[in-house]
DNA sequence: AATACGGGGTG
DNA sequence: CACCCAGTATT
């Protein structure tokens, strides 16, 4: 199997993409890139990496930032617990490790937001530890090449793949090996239409020989997608809008949105909202526009989102509602600075930005 | 062992 | 539409 290792490492050194986080040994930048790239494609994550490293060139800077600002920088990337853990981790490294990342897998994995993959990536890339990275790319490459049929989602499968990768990783160049397996999975051994004609290890590949590329890796998953109907109320008074910070748990934790009323089916009138908000006296409000329904597809739910605009006639009524909702009011300039879910940001752009002409 | 957690690209 | 992306934390 030494042949397999040599061939993919040689291929990597010749074909690697010159990504910015490959040009550094700084564990801070390696960590940042790895967290950004969790479940995220390189092209989507790269602009965020540039933003973060520009605004926060080192971990002290990031640790001193507010969580809200970190979330705002993360806005649009998704899986926001990554941003919250990123911030927690930065503080932990500064406060518990004098601003220096631990230099080994065992300690790295104790930090928030750093799991088996990320710990192995930092340990090997920054500190040259001989520990295998196993991500989606590696599952694919190894299962196809070696004909491993274990379900990659199962505990046993994860163990089998890690041990296979760990048995292959060379002591003299662990980082290049890890980069090579992942880059191969990303560029050659792709999920669909793998580029077998360009593959340096086509010879010896189980899946190529048996035309099993479409079947491997085996991944058994049952994802039930639920439809949800979200109705947002945009309560406005003289250029100020009521918003609130979402709870610490659940979807969009810590981000800001409007008062939310969920329904079983799409709403097309204000009435259910008038019932939902007893503090809302219809005499004090002008019922405005009902937006068209936004469809927002997430991994395990499909959201149908409608925005209902209310304009308040007097300040007292506005204050009363705000208080009843335990929310705050913001003008557009302030809203710009708040971290918001994509769908909220989209609505705001559609509604309050004048199209150029 | 299963589920929750975003947003976007591919075929 | 189905699948999946340089996964992790919680249940």
């Amino acid at each position: 199997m030494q042949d397999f290792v040599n061939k993919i490492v040689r291929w990597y050194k010749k074909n690697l993409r010159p990504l910015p986080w490959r040009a550094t040994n700084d564990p801070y930048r390696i960590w940042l890139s790895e967290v950004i790239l969790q479940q995220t494609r390189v092209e989507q994550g790269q602009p965020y990496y540039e933003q973060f490293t520009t605004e926060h060139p080192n971990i002290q800077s990031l640790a001193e930032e507010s969580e809200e600002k970190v979330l705002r920088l993360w806005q649009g990337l998704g899986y926001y617990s990554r941003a919250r853990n990123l911030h927690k981790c930065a503080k932990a490294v500064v406060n518990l490790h004098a601003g220096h990342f631990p230099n080994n897998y065992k300690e790295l994995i104790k930090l928030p937001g750093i799991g088996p993959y990320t710990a192995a990536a930092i340990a090997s890339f920054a500190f040259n530890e001989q520990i295998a990275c196993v991500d989606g790319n590696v599952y694919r490459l190894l299962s196809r090449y070696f004909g491993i049929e274990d379900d990659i989602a199962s505990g046993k499968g994860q163990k089998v793949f890690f041990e296979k990768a760990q048995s292959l990783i060379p002591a003299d160049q662990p980082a290049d090996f890890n980069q090579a397996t992942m880059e191969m999975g990303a560029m050659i051994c792709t999920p669909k239409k793998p580029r077998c004609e360009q593959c340096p290890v086509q010879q010896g590949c189980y899946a190529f020989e048996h035309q099993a590329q479409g079947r491997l890796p085996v991944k058994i998953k049952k994802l039930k997608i639920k439809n949800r109907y979200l109705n947002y109320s945009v309560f406005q008074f003289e250029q100020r809008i009521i918003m609130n910070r979402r709870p610490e748990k659940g979807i969009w934790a810590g981000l800001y949105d409007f008062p939310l009323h969920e329904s079983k089916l799409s709403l097309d009138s204000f009435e259910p909202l008038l019932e939902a908000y007893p503090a809302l006296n219809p005499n004090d409000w002008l019922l405005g526009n009902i937006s068209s329904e936004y469809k927002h597809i997430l991994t395990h739910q499909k959201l149908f989102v409608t925005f209902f605009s209310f304009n308040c006639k007097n300040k007292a009524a506005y204050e009363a509602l705000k208080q009843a909702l335990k929310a705050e009011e913001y003008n557009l300039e302030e809203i710009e600075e708040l971290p918001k879910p994509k769908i909220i940001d989209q609505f705001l752009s559609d509604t309050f930005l004048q199209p150029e002409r």
Side-chain angles (χ1 to χ4, degrees), chain A residues 255-325:
Chain A
L255 275 61
Y256 285 76
D257 65 0
F258 307 114
L260 173 61
H261 174 72
E262 192 161 351
S263 53
K264 296 285 186 193
L265 290 171
S266 294
L267 301 186
D268 51 12
S269 82
F270 281 91
E271 280 177 43
L273 294 172
L274 296 173
E275 287 178 32
Y277 302 112
L280 180 63
N281 183 340
N283 297 328
D284 295 321
W285 296 81
L286 292 171
L287 306 185
N289 188 55
I290 300 178
S291 77
S292 54
E293 192 169 57
Y294 288 72
K295 290 176 188 39
H296 195 58
I297 316 285
L298 305 180
T299 302
H300 49 281
Q301 42 190 312
K302 186 170 177 182
L303 306 180
F304 299 88
V305 185
T306 310
F307 296 87
F308 295 78
S309 294
F310 297 78
N311 286 283
C312 197
K313 298 177 187 168
N314 70 78
K315 184 156 181 64
Y318 190 69
E319 294 297 333
L321 181 66
K322 194 176 76 181
Q323 198 158 18
L325 295 175

Side-chain angles (χ1 to χ4, degrees), chain A residues 148-180:
Chain A
I148 303 172
E149 312 260 353
D150 295 271
D151 173 15
I152 64 173
S154 71
K156 185 198 173 217
Q158 290 169 18
K159 187 169 186 287
V160 167
F161 282 96
F162 172 75
E163 284 175 356
K164 171 56 85 175
Q166 191 60 27
S167 76
L168 295 171
I169 187 170
D172 59 335
Q173 40 185 355
D176 284 334
F177 171 82
N178 280 336
Q179 296 276 17

